[in-house]
Amino acid sequence: MDDLSDLYQDIILSHNKHPHNEGELDPHTGEAEGFNPLCGDRLKVYLRQAEQGKGNVEAVTFTGEGCAISKASASIMTSAVKGLSADEIEAKVAEVVDLLTDQDEPEIDLMTMGDLAALAGVRKFPARIKCATLAWHALLAALKDEASVSTEAAKK
Amino acid sequence: MNIAAVRSDFPILSREVSGKPLVYLDNGATTQKPRAVIDKISHFFEYENSNIHRGVHYLSMDATDQYDRARVRLAKMINAPEEREVLFVRGTTEAINLVTSSYGTRLQQGDEILLTLMEHHANIVPWQLLAEKRGLVIQVAGITEKGELDLDDFAAKLNSRTKVAAFTHVSNALGTINPVKEMTRLAKEQGAMVLVDGAQAVPHLCVDVQDIGCDFYAFSSHKMFGPDGVGVLWGKEKLLSSMPPYQGGGDMIEQVSFEKTTFRGIPERFEAGTPNISGAIGLGAAVDYLNGIGHAEIESYEKELLDYAGAAMGEIEGLTIHGTAEDKVGVISFTLAGIHPHDIGTILDTEGVAIRAGHHCAQPLMDHLKVSGTARASFAFYNTTQEADSLVAAICKVQKMFA
Ligand SMILES: Cc1ncc(COP(=O)(O)O)c(C=O)c1O
């Protein structure tokens, strides 16, 4: 496959067209907006725990306008982190950021990674990495119930 | 215009990107440089480099002379009454900040500044900073469906409190050419100072500041085939001479003592420190190059190109062109139904087609258009109808991928 079809794999295009868990979450215990000032994209992530900051994450949803990459990444994220504890989520976000930005070619285990693996295609498009990380940074902010996070404030 | 000859003047145009011939349609962001400009700058550094206004030696006098002659060329280009009214600055952004910092000191609480909805952030944010500091009120004139200035709204928002009207000559996001002469006349009737942002006008149009009648005119070298890091603020002599310095330092003073410093006249008063000497000289070379082709030639060729590309893109189903003013330059902002501009930009890039995707530093305008951004193809006189065809083919590829 060439780089472009790696980027726009069927999995990405299908998540873009039919995103999972799009919409506001009611009730929710945390929400945060991710903002990319370079392109103007905004994504809002909602999550529900037993209590704000306590217990595993029961559900995650997102709203907002974004490119195929940011939308698909958000959609994949909502399924990937459901049921995880805050610590597990932090580890998952680190794993995704590494997958996207680590110098070394990542090892991809389709069995454990599932649709997440499709995000690796973004690696060849440095200009698009922040599109892919946007939702994940917003998720971390939502866990802490911080109002917003900007891709330009985040290191990666 | 001999397009093949023109293209061969721009070395970068013959390179490839992603294994395909480069189709450079991001001229609104910055333009490519002709050999004449590149050579002039290399020659300066290889044979002529020296600081200006400071040496009794040959090189310094020669560099000073070249720097001053660049100023003359720019004054001629915009038909400024006097050369010393041309100030070399870092670019449009600094030009506007110079005006808000220096001219801005005479504005008072409650004074109004009239902008338009199609301003670049460079002609919004400096005014906001000033408004916050001095308690000024910002008014915004709207636009029509076609992306033309709503002249009635502009006139209605002018009043005796309006002390500044600042607007763009050409919209970077829509391509609209504003009726700047009429807008200036209306603003002047109310006694307002008028600043025109010419960043997107100078690469396309023949500009005459006396005919427009404005007080300040700002533009950047890099958008008119010159080097980056340099630009021009033109201002009326009477105004500039009555304005306080913008930055303090060397070259702008008459006498310095710790008790009191007196300042030089214009332009030196506004050019503190060592300026971008090679940049100004390179910009002068760009002016010569453009004169060699001729503004009338450029305008008529670009009009053909715009008509061709606009018609071809108009045929694409699901494509919306934002900005269809009667009077416009070769800027085509567009969106595709269901496809984000960022994705368009990436896919076009793999076809060698360079465009800009995003909000074009005009977020208030994007909000008004109810889009998060657009894809923008911006043409220069070295682009061709074949390149417009490549653009159209690449857009069709985008649609196929997302079908
Ligand atoms: C209309 C307009 N004004 C101002 C600017 C700012 O110019 P610069 O970044 O060269 O200072 C631009 C550049 O994009 C522009 O298009």
Side-chain angles (χ1 to χ4, degrees):
Chain A
M1 271 201 292
D2 61 28
D3 291 350
L4 192 64
S5 22
D6 257 354
L7 179 65
Y8 294 109
Q9 300 176 28
D10 288 346
I11 298 175
I12 298 285
L13 292 173
S14 124
H15 275 281
N16 174 53
K17 230 181 200 167
H18 308 288
H20 301 175
N21 304 305
E22 194 180 20
E24 281 186 39
L25 182 65
D26 183 31
H28 59 268
T29 54
E31 64 171 73
E33 184 164 68
F35 178 54
N36 183 344
L38 300 183
C39 63
D41 282 352
R42 291 166 187 279
L43 280 184
K44 206 159 180 181
V45 171
Y46 302 84
L47 59 81
R48 181 161 69 233
Q49 294 167 287
E51 221 179 288
Q52 202 274 307
K54 292 211 181 89
N56 289 11
V57 169
E58 296 162 11
V60 183
T61 67
F62 77 98
T63 59
E65 267 303 302
C67 61
I69 306 304
S70 69
K71 230 167 151 177
S73 183
S75 170
I76 292 168
M77 175 193 80
T78 59
S79 307
V81 301
K82 195 173 161 185
L84 302 187
S85 70
D87 286 349
E88 287 168 331
I89 284 181
E90 282 190 26
K92 188 64 104 183
V93 174
E95 183 193 328
V96 170
V97 171
D98 272 357
L99 172 74
L100 290 166
T101 61
D102 209 36
Q103 293 282 320
D104 305 319
E105 206 45 49
E107 270 181 46
I108 292 175
D109 180 354
L110 282 175
M111 286 303 285
T112 57
M113 290 175 78
D115 285 1
L116 273 181
L119 292 175
V122 182
R123 292 174 57 85
K124 301 256 179 57
F125 295 84
R128 305 304 300 278
I129 287 169
K130 282 177 175 162
C131 309
T133 55
L134 181 62
W136 299 82
H137 288 303
L139 173 68
L140 281 188
L143 261 183
K144 296 174 190 136
D145 205 23
E146 286 163 0
S148 67
V149 62
S150 152
T151 53
E152 294 313 285
K155 279 200 252 0
K156 284 176 173 172
Chain B
M1 204 167 77
N2 181 345
I3 186 68
V6 164
R7 285 182 70 80
S8 70
D9 290 338
F10 291 79
I12 203 171
L13 296 181
S14 56
R15 71 160 285 175
E16 295 192 338
V17 166
S18 315
K20 310 254 167 64
L22 167 67
V23 175
Y24 187 76
L25 297 176
D26 194 16
N27 295 288
T30 200
T31 51
Q32 300 302 347
K33 321 305 173 200
R35 172 69 69 196
V37 169
I38 300 169
D39 285 352
K40 180 72 236 177
I41 295 170
S42 312
H43 185 78
F44 178 76
F45 283 124
E46 284 181 32
Y47 297 99
E48 301 167 337
N49 178 50
S50 192
N51 208 330
I52 56 168
H53 303 311
R54 294 193 183 170
V56 289
H57 60 81
Y58 173 80
L59 285 182
S60 177
M61 288 184 292
D62 183 45
T64 305
D65 187 42
Q66 291 201 54
Y67 183 76
D68 290 343
R69 274 187 286 145
R71 200 189 304 280
V72 174
R73 285 181 175 79
L74 284 144
K76 278 216 178 94
M77 182 185 92
I78 56 172
N79 193 28
E82 293 188 49
E83 292 143 42
R84 60 191 177 130
E85 296 174 327
V86 169
L87 312 181
F88 283 121
V89 292
R90 202 158 56 79
T92 310
T93 303
E94 188 178 40
I96 296 171
N97 277 279
L98 189 159
V99 174
T100 58
S101 301
S102 173
Y103 183 89
T105 53
R106 65 182 66 174
L107 300 179
Q108 288 168 2
Q109 174 108 24
D111 285 353
E112 293 186 9
I113 295 166
L114 180 57
L115 308 176
T116 81
L117 194 50
M118 60 175 107
E119 296 315 308
H120 185 280
H121 295 166
N123 199 26
I124 300 175
V125 183
W127 297 110
Q128 279 175 332
L129 292 173
L130 180 68
E132 216 162 275
K133 216 173 348 182
R134 307 191 72 86
L136 315 175
V137 179
I138 291 182
Q139 300 279 6
V140 182
I143 60 172
T144 66
E145 285 275 301
K146 286 182 145 179
E148 293 174 328
L149 180 89
D150 182 343
L151 201 58
D152 293 336
D153 191 46
F154 181 83
K157 286 187 170 131
L158 284 164
N159 61 63
S160 60
R161 291 181 306 278
T162 313
K163 292 296 183 299
V164 173
F167 43 82
T168 196
H169 193 163
V170 169
S171 159
N172 67 315
L174 302 171
T176 309
I177 302 173
N178 280 322
V180 286
K181 189 173 175 178
E182 177 65 3
M183 291 164 81
T184 301
R185 193 186 62 78
L186 289 168
K188 291 268 161 203
E189 271 177 13
Q190 298 293 337
M193 175 281 268
V194 173
L195 175 142
V196 179
D197 172 353
Q200 296 291 344
V202 287
H204 302 289
L205 308 175
C206 184
V207 172
D208 181 336
V209 292
Q210 296 191 63
D211 183 56
I212 296 170
C214 56
D215 297 295
F216 295 102
Y217 196 90
F219 55 98
S220 301
S221 158
H222 72 98
K223 291 190 197 285
M224 53 170 288
F225 319 99
D228 50 16
V230 67
V232 165
L233 174 68
W234 169 81
K236 281 185 178 156
E237 183 277 324
K238 264 218 171 80
L239 268 179
L240 289 175
S241 296
S242 68
M243 279 158 52
Y246 160 57
Q247 292 176 332
D251 285 338
M252 51 82 73
I253 48 83
E254 250 166 8
Q255 295 252 14
V256 176
S257 73
F258 281 106
E259 287 70 43
K260 183 162 176 56
T261 292
T262 53
F263 305 111
R264 293 174 70 178
I266 60 169
E268 290 84 4
R269 180 188 306 179
F270 293 104
E271 292 181 4
T274 300
N276 186 344
I277 303 164
S278 62
I281 293 170
L283 172 57
V287 174
D288 285 348
Y289 178 81
L290 289 173
N291 288 339
I293 299 183
H295 269 284
E297 284 274 305
I298 290 175
E299 275 185 52
S300 73
Y301 177 75
E302 286 188 1
K303 179 94 186 73
E304 262 174 57
L305 203 53
L306 173 65
D307 289 347
Y308 181 89
M313 289 171 72
E315 300 269 304
I316 302 176
E317 215 172 302
L319 185 146
T320 307
I321 294 179
H322 301 275
T324 50
E326 295 299 324
D327 239 355
K328 71 178 271 187
V329 301
V331 169
I332 304 182
S333 237
F334 65 97
T335 47
L336 295 177
I339 309 176
H340 191 277
H342 228 136
D343 297 312
I344 302 173
T346 295
I347 298 170
L348 261 49
D349 185 45
T350 62
E351 294 292 302
V353 180
I355 58 147
R356 171 124 186 233
H359 53 57
H360 317 298
C361 297
Q363 277 180 346
L365 175 62
M366 296 296 121
D367 290 345
H368 174 81
L369 297 173
K370 299 198 171 52
V371 295
S372 68
T374 69
R376 179 188 69 183
S378 49
F379 293 79
F381 60 83
Y382 45 60
N383 290 122
T384 63
T385 51
Q386 290 93 308
E387 288 182 307
D389 292 339
S390 302
L391 169 68
V392 168
I395 293 171
C396 293
K397 182 177 173 186
V398 176
Q399 290 186 315
K400 225 187 242 159
M401 278 197 85
F402 276 77

